[in-house]
Amino acid sequence: RARLVRFGAVGRGAAASTSSARGRGRGDSSKSVRDTRSKARLHGTRVGARRSMAPRMITKSELLKAIPPVDKLMDSMRDAFVAYSSDRAVVAPVQHVTVEGKGDACVKSGYLRGDASWVVKIAGGWPGNAARGLSNSQGCMLLFGQETGQLECLLADEGHLTDVRTAAAAALCVKEFAPENVKTLCVVGTGVIAKLVVEYCRPLFSAGAGAELVVVSRSAEAATKFGNFAAGFGWELAGDSPAEGRSRADVVVTCTPATTPVVPAVRKGACVVALGADGAGKRELGPGVLSGDVLLLVDSAAQCLRYGEAAYKGNKVTCTELGAYYAAPTPRKPGQTVVCDLTGVAVQDVAIATTVRDAVVKPAWASMFSCGLPAGV
């Protein structure tokens, strides 16, 4: 009985051991509850609500190590196009922002139904940055939870992931639609995306010697530097003029912000991948490319017919979304020219953002929970 009484006394004493202490305890407790409720009202939360974790910021140096090989990148872009065209993706209208005299940017957002996150991507080009020792590409990607809407992760990529997914989509088109025995690639433009294109496309051309590169640029100096860069991946530079090389190339990839055509025509049966026309007023391909016997494939019919190359197509040319084509491919006519108009779709940003986020964050969590555990646990 003594032990029972003593236990009860200890239990009561945890709250208050004397009458005066009980009085003070009630006062302190009430004040603490009032403070907690006041803070909850101030921050719009309820008492007892689960606290959210601080969003994870992934730096450019971290994410560069997490970018998957080009084969996996191409697969993820293909899956993204199919999801978009099969209504498994939700994509908001694109927002374009022009900072007069400085640069321009676009904001794209969307998600996959049934996924855990939704993504907002901001990416822009600031042409004057090269003179400052900065990348012309700038931006970031934000990942939010679909369930709560809370910010989960910020990818401080400076626009690099947009360049990566754009070049990977171009490489996918080259892989799928380049003519047989492909040998010559013509790249129009010498920026970051053009560099990624020659890197990603090199394995798709002749092994060893024989893969020929034509570089088209407004600057002879830039073309020379770009050629030296490309040689490091095993490309042989064409000896003829840029115009002659472009007219006979098996594959032409355009990576410029041009507002007037930079490719007036291509050889019959060539594969053309246009990347630059991603906003109103931009255009890279001339009428000779978008008329006649052409298979015109687009990433988004809604976007491309409004401000992509498809907006300038001939009346008899129809366009098909890449995702729809991949889902139900049709035989390509012999010698038919294929034009791929890529304005960039938010679902591509969802694919690259979630892939990189998972590659960085999940191993970190795994290492935290595996510390001190036996092997195999």
Side-chain angles (χ1 to χ4, degrees):
R1 180 183 299 176
R3 281 196 294 270
L4 288 172
V5 171
R6 185 170 182 175
F7 178 81
V10 171
R12 290 191 299 273
S17 59
T18 66
S19 59
S20 59
R22 284 196 294 269
R24 288 194 301 273
R26 284 195 299 270
D28 292 345
S29 176
S30 299
K31 183 176 185 301
S32 175
V33 169
R34 286 196 301 272
D35 289 347
T36 300
R37 288 174 176 168
S38 296
K39 291 178 180 178
R41 285 193 295 271
L42 177 63
H43 295 288
T45 59
R46 58 184 177 82
V47 177
R50 185 176 63 182
R51 278 190 171 185
S52 61
M53 294 182 65
R56 173 77 154 85
M57 177 176 174
I58 299 177
T59 64
K60 186 176 181 179
S61 59
E62 287 180 286
L63 63 86
L64 285 175
K65 301 173 185 176
I67 295 174
V70 63
D71 287 344
K72 292 187 178 297
L73 286 172
M74 288 191 290
D75 289 343
S76 68
M77 292 301 104
R78 182 183 179 123
D79 292 344
F81 290 138
V82 172
Y84 177 79
S85 296
S86 60
D87 201 34
R88 287 191 288 114
V90 177
V91 172
V94 180
Q95 180 183 359
H96 292 94
V97 180
T98 298
V99 182
E100 296 178 354
K102 301 289 192 296
D104 65 90
C106 69
V107 182
K108 296 181 178 179
S109 56
Y111 63 92
L112 294 178
R113 289 188 171 91
D115 223 354
S117 303
W118 65 280
V119 175
V120 177
K121 187 280 296 284
I122 305 168
W126 263 250
N129 277 3
R132 303 183 180 98
L134 301 172
S135 171
N136 288 351
S137 297
Q138 293 295 325
C140 66
M141 293 188 178
L142 306 170
L143 291 91
F144 301 84
Q146 286 193 26
E147 189 69 26
T148 65
Q150 291 180 313
L151 177 62
E152 299 174 337
C153 187
L154 185 154
L155 301 176
D157 68 319
E158 299 177 13
H160 185 68
L161 291 180
T162 297
D163 296 337
V164 166
R165 61 86 158 152
T166 301
L172 172 66
C173 291
V174 173
K175 177 183 178 181
E176 297 282 352
F177 306 112
E180 292 183 5
N181 303 316
V182 61
K183 178 182 177 182
T184 305
L185 168 67
C186 173
V187 175
V188 184
T190 56
V192 176
I193 293 177
K195 289 180 177 179
L196 289 170
V197 166
V198 299
E199 177 184 349
Y200 291 171
C201 286
R202 181 61 186 87
L204 307 177
F205 284 68
S206 304
E212 186 181 38
L213 178 67
V214 178
V215 182
V216 179
S217 173
R218 293 176 299 177
S219 165
E221 180 182 0
T224 300
K225 289 182 178 179
F226 188 88
N228 293 335
F229 167 83
F233 294 98
W235 289 100
E236 293 184 2
L237 297 181
D240 48 2
S241 70
E244 291 172 340
R246 181 185 58 211
S247 65
R248 63 176 178 80
D250 301 311
V251 176
V252 178
V253 181
T254 57
C255 322
T256 76
T259 55
T260 57
V262 293
V263 179
V266 295
R267 78 165 182 82
K268 184 179 179 181
C271 170
V272 181
V273 184
L275 305 176
D278 58 359
K282 293 183 178 180
R283 183 182 184 185
E284 296 180 297
L285 307 181
V289 183
L290 294 165
S291 59
D293 187 15
V294 175
L295 173 61
L296 176 57
L297 300 171
V298 300
D299 53 7
S300 164
Q303 291 180 188
C304 293
L305 289 171
R306 190 164 70 250
Y307 54 75
E309 299 296 342
Y312 305 98
K313 68 180 180 63
N315 293 332
K316 296 182 179 180
V317 176
T318 59
C319 66
T320 302
E321 287 189 343
L322 278 164
Y325 185 90
Y326 288 137
T330 56
R332 177 182 171 185
K333 298 178 184 178
Q336 186 179 39
T337 300
V338 179
V339 176
C340 300
D341 182 13
L342 306 184
T343 54
V345 188
V347 69
Q348 295 173 259
D349 301 311
V350 173
I352 191 76
T354 53
T355 297
V356 170
R357 185 272 312 272
D358 292 346
V360 174
V361 174
K362 286 186 176 179
W365 277 99
S367 64
M368 287 173 60
F369 288 106
S370 64
C371 291
L373 296 177
V377 176

